């Protein structure tokens, strides 16, 4: 398997600032965003990177033009660079975000430590797939072929009657940002039974998507009965429309994640997520950026 490159995980939609903006204008743009800094670009070319920390040093000159205050040049990467090398740059210089440029030094994307982490966990883990494959082969006596496929959402058959609203909102947010973890399914003659990924499937449906990337287990005998089918029939689950969304209760991992928060704040965490999605509707927009000092002349 070829090593992952920056091109595999980079975000193409980049929010930038102009070097001709004033310090006050950049400050206001920062306040009204979910970012901690911006690449500085002019006519498509990357000139530098201004962070919130750096901007603080200019606060006594709100009318100053950014071009006259910013440090020129910034660390950057190219699409063909390996993920491991990009991580080394981030780790060595303590940065969270790296602009991506082409051979002409034009800004074409950005990659953050969040994107790196996402790239490592967004695919259904091989161990989980092999575990399910082995279990199904042992219980059915048939062989299971494994492959990746784009599956229409209207062909997915759920085996889970309920999902949590807070986890659904989280999955919607992740999907809009480009984090689309694969769904594990078993192919049948009439569709694909979901083994793992109900919240992901419902998030995709909510966003108006028509299909989704899946890891497919296909039995050598398509008519062999499966326990998963029994579950779906018992709960009368035929499509994603049959899944009930639980409001009020928290997904187990969100119970843990919010256990130290005051009740009134924890209760409003979903509203904050909705507000964040509304203020950042473009899929793939990064929200973790660099606050490092090292610069490299471009």
């Amino acid at each position: 398997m070829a090593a992952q490159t920056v091109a595999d995980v980079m975000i193409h939609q980049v929010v930038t600032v102009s070097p001709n903006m004033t310090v006050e204008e950049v400050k206001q743009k920062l306040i009204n965003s979910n970012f901690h800094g911006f690449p500085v670009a002019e006519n498509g070319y990357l000139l530098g990177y201004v962070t919130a920390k750096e901007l603080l040093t200019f606060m006594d000159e709100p009318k100053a033009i950014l071009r006259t205050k910013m440090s020129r040049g910034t660390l950057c990467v190219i699409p063909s660079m390996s993920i491991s090398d990009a991580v080394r740059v981030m780790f060595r210089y303590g940065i969270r975000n790296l602009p991506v440029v082409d051979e002409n030094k034009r800004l074409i994307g950005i990659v953050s430590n969040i994107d790196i982490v996402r790239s490592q966990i967004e695919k259904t883990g091989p161990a989980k797939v092999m575990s399910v494959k082995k279990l199904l082969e042992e219980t059915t006596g048939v062989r299971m072929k494994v492959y990746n496929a784009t599956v229409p959402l209207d062909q997915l058959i759920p085996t889970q009657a309920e999902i949590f609203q807070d986890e659904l909102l989280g999955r919607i947010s992740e999907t809009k940002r480009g984090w689309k973890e694969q769904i594990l399914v078993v192919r049948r003659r009439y569709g694909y039974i979901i083994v793992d990924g109900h919240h992901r499937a419902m998030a995709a449906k909510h966003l108006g998507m028509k299909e989704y990337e899946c890891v497919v287990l296909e039995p050598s005998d398509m008519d062999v009965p499966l326990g998963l089918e029994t579950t779906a029939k018992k709960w009368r689950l035929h499509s994603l429309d049959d899944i009930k969304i639980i409001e009020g209760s928290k997904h187990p991992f969100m119970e843990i994640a919010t256990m130290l928060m005051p009740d009134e704040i924890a209760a409003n965490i979903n509203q904050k997520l909705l507000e964040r999605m509304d203020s950042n509707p473009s899929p793939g927009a990064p929200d973790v950026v660099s606050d490092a000092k090292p610069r490299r002349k471009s």
Side-chain angles (χ1 to χ4, degrees):
M1 180 182 294
Q4 257 190 333
T5 66
V6 168
D8 295 322
V9 302
M10 62 184 270
I11 299 300
H12 294 273
Q13 295 173 311
V14 188
V15 179
T16 65
V17 292
S18 164
N20 297 319
M21 293 173 67
T22 66
V23 169
E24 178 64 24
E25 288 173 333
V26 177
K27 183 189 82 170
Q28 290 302 320
K29 185 167 184 174
L30 198 61
I31 290 172
N32 294 322
S33 75
N34 293 315
F35 310 132
H36 300 154
F38 299 105
V40 183
E42 186 172 42
N43 298 322
Y45 291 94
L46 178 65
L47 302 183
Y49 201 104
V50 61
T51 67
K53 183 178 180 179
E54 187 175 16
L55 204 61
L56 283 173
T57 65
F58 313 145
M59 284 298 95
D60 57 342
E61 301 178 77
K63 295 183 179 180
I65 301 301
L66 182 61
R67 188 192 301 274
T68 67
K69 296 296 178 181
M70 61 176 279
S71 300
R72 288 190 62 84
T74 182
L75 290 166
C76 62
V77 292
I78 59 175
S80 59
M81 180 182 287
S82 70
I83 290 298
S84 61
D85 285 345
V87 169
R88 285 189 178 95
V89 175
M90 290 180 169
F91 183 76
R92 289 173 184 175
Y93 300 103
I95 59 179
R96 301 177 182 178
N97 189 293
L98 282 168
V100 185
V101 298
D102 62 15
E103 64 275 11
N104 297 314
K105 300 180 182 178
R106 293 180 68 91
L107 180 65
I108 59 172
I110 200 162
V111 61
S112 73
N113 53 7
I114 292 297
D115 298 317
I116 302 295
V117 171
R118 182 193 70 195
S119 73
Q120 302 307 306
I121 62 176
E122 68 178 355
K123 294 183 178 180
T124 299
K128 178 187 291 185
V129 174
M130 291 301 104
S131 176
V132 174
K133 177 179 182 293
K134 180 180 179 181
L135 176 63
L136 289 176
E137 287 180 338
E138 289 178 348
T139 55
T140 63
V142 301
R143 294 186 61 81
M144 292 282 170
K145 181 170 66 174
V146 182
Y147 57 91
N148 295 326
T150 301
V151 175
L153 292 182
D154 60 8
Q155 292 186 25
L156 293 179
I157 298 100
T159 55
Q160 185 172 313
E162 300 175 334
I163 62 172
F164 293 89
Q165 184 186 53
D166 58 353
E167 176 64 0
L168 174 59
L169 290 174
R171 290 292 184 170
I172 291 171
S173 176
E174 292 169 1
T175 303
K176 291 181 71 171
R177 294 189 65 245
W179 181 346
K180 293 189 287 186
E181 185 181 356
Q182 291 171 297
I183 296 171
L184 180 59
V185 300
V186 179
R187 186 174 181 183
R188 307 304 285 155
R189 293 191 185 280
Y190 54 87
Y192 298 80
I193 297 177
I194 299 176
V195 178
D196 181 60
H198 289 80
H199 286 90
R200 281 163 260 164
M202 288 293 283
K205 182 176 185 297
H206 178 88
L207 291 172
M209 297 169 62
K210 300 300 182 183
E211 54 189 22
Y212 202 92
E213 284 295 320
C214 297
V215 176
V216 181
L217 293 170
E218 182 175 316
S220 55
D221 178 0
M222 294 293 287
D223 296 315
V224 65
L226 299 175
L228 291 167
E229 288 178 298
T230 302
T231 299
K233 291 176 181 177
K234 176 182 177 181
W235 291 336
R236 298 181 181 179
L237 302 174
H238 306 287
S239 72
L240 296 180
D241 291 329
D242 298 321
I243 298 178
K244 179 182 178 181
I245 300 173
I246 305 175
E247 300 181 14
S249 299
K250 292 181 182 177
H251 187 279
F253 95 78
M254 285 304 296
E255 281 281 6
I256 296 171
T258 60
M259 64 183 177
L260 297 181
M261 300 176 72
D263 291 343
E264 63 274 16
I265 296 178
N268 292 326
I269 195 168
N270 285 338
Q271 183 58 39
K272 290 185 178 295
L273 185 59
L274 286 170
E275 291 171 357
R276 180 177 177 183
M277 286 191 284
D278 289 340
S279 66
N280 184 21
S282 299
D287 64 351
V288 179
V289 293
S290 167
D291 57 3
K293 278 298 193 181
R295 296 286 193 272
R296 185 178 73 187
K297 296 294 182 181
S298 55

